[in-house]
Amino acid sequence: MATISDVAALAGVGIGTVSRVLNGSHQVRPTTRAKVHAAMEELDYRPTRSSAGSTARRQGFVGVLVPFFDEPSSYQRLRGIVQSLQPHGLEIVLYNVDAPDRARRRLVEVPQHQLDGLIIIALPLRSEEGDRLAQAQFPTVLIDTSHPALPSVLIDDRRGGRIATEHLMSLGHERIAFIGEPERNPFGFVSSRYRQEGYTAALTDAGITFDSRYVKHGPHMRTAARQLASELFAMADPPTAVVAASDVQALGALDAARLAGKSVPRDVSIIGYDDIDLAAYSGLTTVRQPLEVSGQRGSEILTGALATGIRPIPFVEELAIELVVRGTTAAPARASKANRRDGTPMVVCAFRPPVRSNTVDGAPAWWETAVVYQLYVRSFADSNDDGIGDLAGIRGRLPYLADLGIDAIWLNPCYPSPQADHGYDVADYFDIEPDYGDLEEFDALVRDARAVGIRIMMDVVPNHCSSEHAWFQAALVAPRGSSERERFYFRDGRGTGGDEPPNNWQAIFGGSAWTRITEPDGSPGQWYLAIFTPAQPDLNWNHPDVVDHFDRMLRFWFDRGVEGFRADAVTVVGKTPGLPDNELQQGAARPELGASNAHFTWRPEGHAAWRHWRQLVEAYEADHPGRQLVLVAEAYTPRRPDILRQYANDEEFHQAFAFDLMLAPWNADAFRDAVRSTVEAMMPAGLLPAWTMNNHDAQRAVTRFGRADAETHGAEIDGVLENSHATVDVDTGTRRARAAALFELGLPGCVYLYAGEELGLPEVLDLPDEARQDPIFARTGGVEIGRDGCRVPLPWTDDPATSFGFSPHGKNDPWLPPPKEWARWNVASEQLDPSSMLSLYRRALAVRRATPDLTLAGFELLLPDDPDLVVYRRGEVVVVLNMSDHERSLPADLVAGRRVLVSSVVEPAGSSRRSPGRNGNGRNGAGSVGPDAAVWLGR
Ligand code: NOJ
Ligand code: CA
């Protein structure tokens, strides 16, 4: 028989929402209501068995007495009760006692009711009240309250107060305040008193003298707590941290901090209580009580009694609690450095952003935790034997992608293009490149992908179009100063006859950023700006046509079912007005390249465009209930997460690639810093990072990590995406790439994979010069070999005759030649080999999907000073990456009670994976991780 929880699960909402729908509440959105009704119908759920209106003796009814049913913590306990009672066919009679006199009356009345059992939640009982209940005809179980005559399940509030206070002291706080509830609270909230006792005990144990000035009591209300906290902050020696005995009081303290101009957690740390959604929304560090579990345990005791007919003896069962560290606690300003050196774990936790359009009941949007597969259309799969990948090729491989376990595909540009920069020179933003297919084929791809649960994202190129775009062609024949030319940056040259470029800017791919045109009358003419290659003229975002064009483009593809865009090169949109010379060029790391030009990098002028796009997306979502769209910025900001945040926020891009991890060399400090700084920049603001280790511009990880200098060189040199030339050991690189992938896939947020990394493909370094197509190769006169090596068509089989299965019959050579050794890395063979990279990715993605902690839990960096290991915790899961060349043992408390969920090391056949100690990557007796290896440990 379907239960209310089944309905909630199927509809993707909470049980409360279902019950609100059943009660006809107006607070439920029509779309949600429709979903709940559909789920009830599908499951054939019958909400009430008592609706027959019979006055006969009730059968199978359990009374639940609860103060403040609407209070979120009560509600959570109720959820646990409902879940446990329903399978037994027991229905609930809810007594919501929201005033003390009503509570007292109920305690007299209820024992006379014809119930099968009673549960009382968080209501302190007088001695005679408990005694009366103990003599009633039915058994009573207490939850979070106790009485000597009755069984009870209790959350240890003293311990809660203690761990909150201890956490703050471990960060270096000494002046810690407590905000709780008055002793004579009408409901006698004993929990507040116990929490305070734990607080006091922790201080005393640490040798800190208890100072009553730091303890305040007030009603369980946000406004009251705000007042109390304001008083605390106005003291001459104000507290640097506050423990609040409840969620709403913590919110009041946060309000007070804001009013006092204090930044949280820099100036003041705040801990709340009850890890309910409200806390998660506000990024609060809280004490998590197993509220739902207490409901379940209480119910189990009761159902046990009902099944056996034996009344449980009076006893107290205590439940464990834990601290959930989010963004509101940190070391006090002065002590932070010292503490980090002490090895105090840096802790940051995820919390769900407060507002997202079209999400169900505040659940994260799909893209926040998705695994997206970046697919270079040209190189993925060729369906018609012309040697060029195409959309039909992708459609044919959807089963492979579905099996891999990805959530979405990002297609590199597949618009009509002369391919001067392989699609990043778009000639028409509203069509499909004929080599790749047509709009009909595209629609079919979106449809088929959806059918296997995969969303399609595209690539939007706003900074420039192709020199063959109709606009640019029109500009060439239009006069100086015309609106056609104004859509770009046309300027007269300097010097005699305007022979010199308008300024000294260099192009990012080499050479001048300016190209001179010939005017329609045949005379040498103006110059136009193109900061990548001359085939990619920069668009002028001050021109309304440009803004309008991209509005139309985004909507055009959203209408076709595209769920998001990766936005190309957004940091170079917006140029210093007047286009002055780049005075910094000479001091730059690579003056011959434009990448360090401050006049077109990170300019404030660009951001108006992104704010406008975000508004467009949100308006589109509002008009299309159920659609969740994402814009991810390619914003290259090496080691400047603060600048990254200027692009990724609630007003501009939903995400921006966290490139620092991809740039990092193979050493623990670099990886840890990349993760820590990104997480710290994003998560306290309610944003989850978008990680990536590979893409079509960077050298593949296997090669990067296999370089002899991998420990000092990542994917960049002096901030420019560039490769080291040290020798490569592919085996080392493969081992490390396996470990890095596992490390990355456990991180909080979204992960972007690049096609071929799941096969462990190395970079192809020895392409013949004549085969090379990347404009970087030609523009730098071959000094830079460019990016072709990561764009070689994918190997699907071990058959060289069909370019390893890339083309069906191999009639035409593929557009870049795959090397012979690729017989070693291909889908067909790897699918059969449990030790292959492909098998590792599949396993990791499957476990990630099946382990909610890996997507939803917070993030805590452990062992922050370890020279070899980078370790973090996500809920119950611990991820360990050993970046050293020797085996490392793990602290016992990380290993205890955990087993290996996934290991980057190939397990010998027949080994069982019971505990990291016996079967982890390392050989030592205690839990250990081998060299260049990573492991996910879970319960
Ligand atoms: C970044 C893209 O990823 C790269 O491939 C392209 O060449 C440049 N932007 C210019 O569009
Ligand atoms: Ca083709």
Side-chain angles (χ1 to χ4, degrees), residues 519-806:
E519 297 294 343
D521 64 4
S523 62
Q526 285 196 297
W527 299 71
Y528 69 87
L529 178 71
I531 63 166
F532 286 94
T533 72
Q536 297 161 292
D538 280 49
L539 288 161
N540 173 11
W541 272 84
N542 299 314
H543 196 296
D545 284 359
V546 173
V547 177
D548 172 65
H549 168 269
F550 283 94
D551 285 2
R552 283 186 295 111
M553 181 221 171
L554 296 177
R555 287 204 199 93
F556 176 86
W557 295 103
F558 288 151
D559 285 348
R560 300 197 100 90
V562 166
E563 309 288 11
F565 283 90
R566 175 265 192 187
D568 182 68
V570 300
T571 54
V572 294
V573 170
K575 274 88 187 168
T576 306
L579 314 185
D581 270 343
N582 179 18
E583 59 286 352
L584 302 173
Q585 194 95 29
Q586 297 319 316
R590 295 287 307 272
E592 77 281 14
L593 297 180
S596 41
N597 187 334
H599 293 308
F600 60 64
T601 306
W602 305 341
R603 297 292 314 169
E605 292 84 357
H607 291 274
W610 320 134
R611 283 194 287 273
H612 177 73
W613 278 13
R614 181 63 173 260
Q615 284 163 12
L616 180 150
V617 164
E618 285 178 1
Y620 193 97
E621 287 180 330
D623 289 345
H624 297 80
R627 293 287 294 277
Q628 294 174 356
L629 308 174
V630 59
L631 298 175
V632 52
E634 187 217 15
Y636 187 64
T637 61
R639 286 169 298 284
R640 290 298 302 269
D642 54 325
I643 298 180
L644 195 70
R645 278 274 284 114
Q646 295 174 5
Y647 294 90
N649 53 58
D650 282 338
E651 291 178 355
E652 302 192 18
F653 292 95
H654 302 80
Q655 299 178 327
F657 294 115
F659 283 129
D660 281 357
L661 186 59
M662 181 177 89
L663 300 182
W666 187 258
N667 73 66
D669 280 344
F671 262 52
R672 188 166 35 230
D673 280 355
V675 168
R676 185 204 318 245
S677 60
T678 306
V679 160
E680 280 181 342
M682 308 294 284
M683 289 171 65
L687 303 163
L688 292 175
W691 306 101
T692 183
M693 288 267 202
N694 290 282
N695 66 34
H696 64 295
D697 293 327
Q699 205 163 66
R700 286 191 179 273
V702 166
T703 300
R704 255 175 21 229
F705 295 143
R707 296 263 184 210
D709 62 356
E711 287 171 24
T712 50
H713 279 94
E716 61 156 345
I717 294 178
D718 293 335
V720 178
L721 263 193
E722 216 183 285
N723 310 320
S724 142
H725 297 283
T727 50
V728 179
D729 175 48
V730 170
D731 290 339
T732 303
T734 301
R735 216 169 44 236
R736 292 175 174 176
R738 291 174 70 96
L742 209 51
F743 177 81
E744 181 193 26
L745 285 167
L747 289 169
C750 174
V751 176
Y752 284 81
L753 306 176
Y754 175 53
E757 70 169 270
E758 82 279 19
L759 302 177
L761 295 183
E763 185 85 359
V764 181
L765 296 169
D766 54 359
L767 285 167
D769 284 357
E770 57 285 6
R772 292 195 180 278
Q773 307 209 11
D774 184 357
I776 291 183
F777 179 72
R779 302 267 308 161
T780 60
V783 173
E784 297 296 330
I785 58 170
R787 304 160 291 177
D788 293 313
C790 63
R791 301 174 177 181
V792 174
L794 251 57
W796 293 90
T797 68
D798 60 2
D799 176 16
T802 57
S803 319
F804 302 108
F806 172 67

